[in-house]
Amino acid sequence: MEIERKFLVKATPVLKGAKKKQIEQGYLCTRPVIRIRRSNDQFFLTYKSNRGLSQENALQNEEVELLLTEEAYLHLRGKTDGYMVEKTRYVLPLAEGRCAELDVFSGRLDGLIFVEVEFESEEQAVNFVPPSWFGEDVSGLGCFSNAYLSGMESFEEWKRKNSGVLPSAD
């Protein structure tokens, strides 16, 4: 079970010394989600479904992840829908043993940045107090899902299509 919340970023934290992952991912299906991902030198096939799970306080998904060979990943990569999503993920320590996963997108989504935090329970997600560098909670906005992002040709297209739902900049 994956339970997470997503936030905008007010100010980029210090990244020096942070664990870093170069991620490329694509989608074979988006309902339910069947995703392939390269994370540094590892390759995965992931199935995600939120069917029957509350999305009220946090994003919740049943998730199954399988290790792939590089050859299998490359074979499936040619079968993805939309575009590949490219990002650098910085894993940053937070209070209570949690980690923030800061996603800095590159390629055609260059300029997009948000942060995710995973929890063991919905109660923990509800009671989470974000650090000061976190911005608005965007967990309920589908335009921040990577599956949705895989359908965007550019960051500019994403901003244009979602201008009515995006939080205003202060």
Side-chain angles (χ1 to χ4, degrees):
M1 172 76 81
E2 174 189 62
I3 302 169
E4 68 182 12
R5 289 177 60 192
K6 291 185 183 188
F7 299 86
L8 296 179
V9 176
K10 281 187 205 173
T12 305
V14 175
L15 300 175
K16 186 175 182 179
K19 183 177 173 184
K20 184 169 132 176
K21 298 177 186 177
Q22 291 301 133
I23 294 175
E24 174 188 73
Q25 63 191 43
Y27 293 82
L28 301 168
C29 181
T30 57
R31 289 190 181 196
V33 169
I34 302 175
R35 172 188 78 201
I36 59 166
R37 174 184 278 177
R38 176 186 53 79
S39 179
N40 292 340
D41 295 326
Q42 293 188 302
F43 306 90
F44 302 94
L45 174 74
T46 304
Y47 167 84
K48 287 182 163 192
S49 174
N50 62 14
R51 187 175 181 170
L53 297 173
S54 168
Q55 302 299 305
E56 187 176 336
N57 298 308
L59 300 172
Q60 297 188 61
N61 290 293
E62 291 292 340
E63 184 176 275
V64 177
E65 193 168 74
L66 304 170
L67 199 57
L68 291 175
T69 63
E70 182 175 9
E71 293 77 20
Y73 172 82
L74 292 172
H75 176 76
L76 290 171
R77 190 181 189 278
K79 299 178 183 321
T80 58
D81 295 332
Y83 301 94
M84 297 299 285
V85 173
E86 301 170 63
K87 60 188 175 182
T88 301
R89 173 169 285 170
Y90 297 91
V91 181
L92 304 162
L94 296 175
E96 299 179 14
R98 291 194 210 303
C99 291
E101 296 178 336
L102 180 71
D103 286 345
V104 179
F105 292 80
S106 55
R108 44 177 239 304
L109 295 173
D110 188 36
L112 181 60
I113 181 171
F114 58 77
V115 62
E116 302 176 354
V117 180
E118 291 193 10
F119 305 92
E120 292 78 39
S121 70
E122 189 174 1
E123 181 181 351
Q124 288 179 351
V126 168
N127 294 321
F128 176 67
V129 178
S132 61
W133 60 273
F134 279 36
E136 186 167 342
D137 186 333
V138 294
S139 300
L141 298 177
C143 62
F144 286 91
S145 82
N146 285 280
Y148 179 84
L149 294 171
S150 72
M152 295 294 105
E153 189 174 294
S154 67
F155 182 49
E156 289 70 32
E157 177 192 20
W158 178 82
K159 288 189 294 188
R160 188 175 59 256
K161 285 190 173 189
N162 298 290
S163 62
V165 297
L166 296 175
S168 60
D170 293 19

